[in-house]
């Protein structure tokens, strides 16, 4: 995820294989030192504690939020929205790129749309979404679909186009054509590109959904983590705001390093396709 | 075995247009393959061997003329003609060795039970000597093993004709010789018709009943029938006489410069790269 320290994410996945453990430990050490420094600065009371709370009270707030079940519920809400949105985006992207592969006219249309809409930050369509669909989870889901669809479609489509010709012909030789050829041969062959697209889409969608809930309170009362940050800031519960941020970071790290990495480990790496 | 006509090329011409240029890859090619025969297509680089095979496989449509398969005009790819490509990347990397073969079987014989398909797949892997590698993924195999799997996958479909475009072209000489003799054994066991493309005169002579010699420009330069008794002995004087004959047929005509590409094929392609000996017989 691009909003996270890249180096850290890279080394955690390497550290798992045991070759870069010292570096990984060094980075954890650095983060601990940072937290310690933060704590000391906060204790000096240079800035009001209300705005710059010490790490201990942030962690304390995290613990109470968890024990009261609030933050877990919000997290669950955010994750279920994003899971719904990403699944829909995957489905739509697959259909769009498969149709574009089968019908050149549709490919032109798709590429034109992509050229126009891909550069548009997803959050920029939120005002229109709110007018059309009102506030609520469905607006957020549509936003997630929109933000994930373009990068995902771009990578699936280019992945499908660069599938080795011999594999496609081997499939045709076996009697596959049309959507069945795309499904049985081209899509698995394009899996490395699909995975890369999924990583980007996840990051975009996650950013967009948190931002949307926060900026407009778009989700209404029953919101996710973005909404949590928004409402805690409103009541000036700053340690809780930081606690919410920690949860967002933790989810990012988890999805990036455990979910995607193990998904890749069990698929494209296992099949020797990851060099593509 | 009663020899039934299985593949018939009738005046097949294939012209490619690349930009403003037109390239005649095949020019009025005609020949007839009977069931169970082993045919080899040989010719210099660019003489249309691959194009011929791809037309028969149904991946290309002839510009004029037609190809008949058991009396029916070929209009597209089909499981009655299975192709083994030269490209080592023809296996599906996300399926195991066994998975590649069973996948082909599930498409070709959906009526069989899963169990039966597994049995058939294992039988075909045994045929190419890879039964112990069933659970490996293609990227864990050597080049020669990949080509064996491709052969097993193609044979599992039980095609009428096996098409092979220099399947051993990217392998080292020793592996190549081993696979050649295995192919001959498999051919004898399965009685499948084979149309085989090669650069290598020796490979052609060891294996085939009939040899189509293509000239540059895609014309059939000669049809050579090879009646030497099997297994073919390399030290048989008749073998070397036939070799000489084919070599003369393949010599470049004096006015066409030999492209350097044939030298890049490695030492196995030597017969074509060798300097001309004896009197030149221009086409
Ligand atoms: N898709 C294509 N578009 C344009 N020209 C083509 C195409 N395929 C083949 N050709 C041309 O047709 C001619 C015959 O090519 P082909 O690949 O059949 O030769 P070949 O005998 O298989 O050569 P090699 O021994 O090098 O594999 C060549 O001049 C080639 O440039
Ligand atoms: Mg060729």
């Amino acid at each position: 995820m691009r909003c996270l320290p890249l180096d850290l994410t890279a080394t955690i996945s390497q550290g798992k294989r045991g070759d870069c453990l010292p570096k990984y430990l060094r980075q954890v050490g650095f983060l601990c030192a940072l937290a310690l420094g933060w704590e000391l600065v906060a204790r000096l009371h240079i800035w009001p504690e209300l705005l710059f709370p010490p790490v201990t009270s942030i962690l304390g707030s995290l613990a109470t939020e968890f024990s009261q079940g609030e933050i877990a519920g919000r997290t669950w809400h955010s994750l279920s929205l994003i899971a719904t949105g990403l699944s829909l985006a995957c489905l739509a992207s697959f259909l769009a790129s498969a149709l574009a592969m089968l019908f050149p006219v549709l490919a032109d249309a798709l590429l034109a749309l992509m050229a126009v809409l891909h550069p548009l930050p997803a959050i920029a369509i939120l005002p229109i979404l709110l007018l059309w669909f009102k506030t609520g989870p469905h607006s957020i889901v549509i936003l997630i679909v929109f933000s994930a669809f373009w990068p995902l479609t771009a990578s699936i489509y280019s992945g499908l186009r660069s599938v080795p010709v011999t594999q496609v012909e081997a499939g045709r030789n076996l009697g596959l054509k049309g959507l069945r050829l795309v499904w049985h041969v081209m899509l698995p062959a394009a899996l490395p590109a699909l995975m890369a697209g999924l990583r980007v889409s996840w990051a975009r969608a996650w950013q967009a959904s948190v931002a949307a809930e926060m900026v407009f309170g778009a989700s209404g009362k029953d919101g996710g983590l973005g909404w949590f940050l928004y409402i805690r800031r409103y009541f000036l519960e700053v340690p809780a705001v930081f606690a919410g941020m920690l949860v967002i970071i933790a989810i990012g790290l988890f999805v990036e390093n455990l979910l995607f990495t193990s998904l890749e480990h069990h698929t494209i790496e296992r099949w020797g396709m990851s060099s593509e | 075995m009663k020899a039934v006509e299985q593949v018939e090329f009738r005046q097949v011409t294939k012209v490619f247009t690349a930009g403003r240029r037109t390239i005649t890859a095949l020019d009025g090619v005609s020949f007839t393959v009977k069931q169970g025969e082993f045919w080899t297509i040989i010719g210099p680089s660019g003489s249309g061997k691959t194009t011929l095979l791809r037309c028969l496989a149904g991946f290309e449509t002839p510009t004029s003329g037609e190809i008949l398969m058991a009396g029916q005009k070929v209009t597209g790819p089909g499981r009655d003609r299975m192709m083994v490509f030269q490209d080592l990347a023809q296996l599906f990397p996300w399926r195991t060795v066994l998975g590649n073969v069973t996948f082909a079987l599930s498409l070709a014989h959906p009526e069989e039970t899963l169990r039966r398909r597994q049995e058939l797949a294992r039988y075909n892997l045994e045929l190419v000597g890879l039964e112990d590698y069933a659970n490996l993924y293609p990227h864990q195999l050597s080049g020669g093993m990949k080509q064996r799997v491709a052969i097993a996958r193609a044979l599992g479909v039980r095609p009428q004709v096996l098409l092979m475009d220099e399947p051993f072209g990217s392998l080292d000489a020793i592996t190549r010789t081993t696979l050649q003799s295995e192919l001959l054994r498999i051919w004898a066991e399965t009685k499948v018709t084979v149309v085989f493309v090669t650069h290598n005169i020796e490979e052609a002579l060891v294996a085939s009943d009939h040899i189509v010699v293509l000239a540059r420009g895609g014309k059939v330069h000669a049809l050579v029938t090879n009646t030497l008794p099997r297994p073919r002995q390399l030290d048989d004087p008749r073998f070397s006489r036939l070799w000489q004959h084919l070599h003369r047929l393949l010599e470049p005509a004096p006015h066409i410069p030999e492209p350097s590409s044939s030298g890049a094929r490695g030492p196995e392609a030597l017969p074509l790269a060798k300097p001309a000996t004896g009197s030149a017989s221009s086409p």
Side-chain angles (χ1 to χ4, degrees):
Chain A
M1 191 153 96
R2 299 304 150 239
C3 60
L4 290 175
L6 263 181
D7 214 358
L8 179 72
T9 59
T11 41
I12 287 180
S13 57
Q14 276 172 355
K16 248 180 52 181
R17 268 166 246 138
D19 48 349
C20 261
L21 211 64
K23 195 176 174 193
Y24 161 59
L25 281 181
R26 253 184 289 145
Q27 291 196 324
V28 170
F30 170 75
L31 289 179
C32 290
L34 193 72
L36 204 67
W38 178 292
E39 180 75 17
L40 288 175
V41 172
R43 297 264 164 137
L44 290 176
H45 293 292
I46 302 171
W47 299 285
E49 190 174 328
L50 186 67
L51 298 183
F52 198 89
V55 175
T56 39
S57 67
I58 294 174
L59 292 179
S61 158
L62 189 64
T64 41
E65 294 293 353
F66 260 110
S67 63
Q68 286 163 5
E70 161 120 35
I71 214 164
R74 300 280 180 211
T75 306
W76 173 249
H77 185 81
S78 283
L79 289 180
S80 62
L81 285 190
I82 211 153
T84 315
L86 277 182
S87 319
L88 288 175
C90 280
L91 201 70
S93 290
F94 166 64
L95 282 179
S97 11
L99 289 175
M101 285 306 291
L102 299 176
F103 307 103
V105 190
L106 291 181
D108 290 342
L110 185 73
L111 289 178
L113 266 182
M114 187 137 57
V116 177
L117 292 177
H118 194 173
L120 183 68
I123 195 80
I125 68 158
L126 190 64
I128 291 297
L129 285 185
L130 291 182
L131 285 177
W132 286 355
F133 303 103
K134 309 282 183 305
T135 56
H138 45 285
S139 283
I140 305 277
V141 169
I142 295 172
L143 187 76
I144 291 171
V145 172
F146 183 86
S147 60
F149 178 78
W150 299 110
L152 199 54
T153 307
S155 48
I156 294 183
Y157 181 66
S158 76
L160 288 180
R161 287 186 58 106
S162 53
V163 170
V165 179
T166 357
Q167 283 171 25
V168 174
E169 289 186 338
R172 290 176 59 202
N173 205 169
L174 287 169
L176 294 172
K177 49 178 128 162
L179 222 47
R180 264 163 49 92
L181 183 67
V182 175
W183 176 254
H184 282 295
V185 175
M186 301 179 74
L187 200 66
L191 209 59
L194 196 154
M195 288 286 190
L198 207 56
R199 275 180 186 267
V200 176
S201 301
W202 144 263
R204 294 258 182 109
W206 183 231
Q207 288 165 8
S209 69
V210 170
E213 290 185 336
M214 216 152 58
V215 177
F216 293 88
S219 54
K221 287 191 295 295
D222 187 26
L225 279 170
W227 175 249
F228 177 84
L229 292 189
Y230 178 79
I231 211 76
R232 291 302 144 113
R233 184 205 66 92
Y234 188 81
F235 292 114
L236 273 180
E237 292 175 27
V238 178
V241 174
F242 277 107
M245 285 167 61
L246 282 182
V247 172
I248 291 174
I249 290 175
I251 290 171
L253 285 176
F254 171 79
V255 172
E256 274 285 299
N257 295 302
L258 292 173
L259 210 64
F260 281 134
T261 306
S262 73
L263 206 61
E264 283 173 357
H265 182 69
H266 284 103
T267 55
I268 55 181
E269 265 172 49
R270 179 160 176 231
W271 302 332
M273 296 169 77
S274 47
S275 56
E276 284 168 54
Chain B
M1 186 200 301
K2 190 169 162 278
V4 181
E5 286 173 11
Q6 195 157 55
V7 177
E8 192 177 351
F9 274 67
R10 282 190 189 160
Q11 291 297 322
V12 173
T13 297
K14 177 72 188 177
V15 180
F16 288 108
T17 42
R20 258 190 238 150
R21 281 185 60 211
T22 57
I23 301 163
T24 308
L26 292 176
D27 190 356
V29 173
S30 298
F31 61 91
T32 305
V33 177
K34 295 206 175 95
Q35 197 181 330
E37 287 180 337
F38 197 119
W39 278 67
T40 298
I41 318 293
I42 196 167
S45 186
S47 56
K49 304 182 294 296
T50 297
T51 307
L52 186 152
L53 215 57
R54 290 178 58 81
C55 284
L56 175 52
F59 295 130
E60 307 278 358
T61 316
T63 313
S64 69
E66 57 184 8
I67 301 169
L68 300 184
M69 177 70 207
Q72 297 277 312
K73 189 174 168 177
V74 168
T75 54
R79 287 188 291 256
D80 51 345
R81 290 150 284 137
M82 288 304 295
M83 179 88 130
V84 175
F85 300 86
Q86 178 175 9
D87 188 355
L88 297 182
Q90 65 191 301
L91 300 176
F92 302 127
W94 57 93
R95 293 183 189 277
T96 58
V97 166
L98 186 67
N100 265 277
V101 184
T102 45
F103 176 64
L105 281 167
S106 70
L107 292 172
H109 306 293
E111 74 283 354
E112 305 275 21
T113 61
L114 193 70
R115 182 110 168 272
R116 176 87 186 112
R117 289 203 291 259
Q118 296 268 337
E119 275 171 27
L120 277 173
R122 290 201 182 273
Y123 164 78
N124 280 289
L125 284 179
E126 266 167 44
L127 210 57
V128 297
L130 281 186
E131 63 275 22
D132 294 338
Y133 298 85
N135 294 320
L136 293 188
Y137 284 94
H139 75 104
Q140 298 166 313
L141 304 179
S142 70
M145 287 155 87
K146 284 181 193 166
Q147 295 306 78
R148 288 173 205 233
V149 178
I151 294 173
R153 183 175 73 179
L155 286 174
V157 169
R158 265 177 279 154
Q160 296 176 35
V161 185
L162 189 63
L163 310 176
M164 309 181 95
D165 187 3
E166 299 190 61
F168 313 139
S170 50
L171 306 177
D172 65 273
I174 297 170
T175 315
R176 185 178 184 143
T177 319
T178 321
L179 283 184
Q180 274 167 21
S181 48
E182 286 198 13
L183 176 63
L184 282 179
R185 177 182 53 77
I186 291 167
W187 170 69
E189 250 172 73
T190 57
K191 302 187 171 64
V192 66
T193 312
V194 178
V195 181
F196 189 96
V197 164
T198 181
H199 264 93
N200 187 313
I201 298 181
E202 196 175 289
E203 193 167 67
L205 282 177
V206 167
S208 47
D209 303 311
H210 297 272
I211 301 167
V212 179
V213 184
L214 287 181
R216 225 168 254 117
K219 277 197 166 67
V220 175
H221 184 35
L223 286 175
V224 177
T225 304
N226 180 2
T227 52
L228 294 180
R230 294 177 187 272
R232 307 261 156 82
Q233 305 297 328
L234 268 64
D235 49 7
D236 187 336
R238 287 172 299 176
F239 189 96
S240 44
R241 239 178 289 134
L242 210 49
W243 192 94
Q244 290 288 341
H245 177 59
L246 274 172
H247 185 241
R248 269 196 301 279
L249 286 173
L250 283 165
E251 255 165 28
H255 58 280
I256 304 170
E258 171 81 358
S260 53
S261 63
S262 59
R265 294 272 166 180
E268 311 91 278
L270 212 69
L272 275 180
K274 231 154 82 170
T277 52
S279 61
S281 68
S282 53

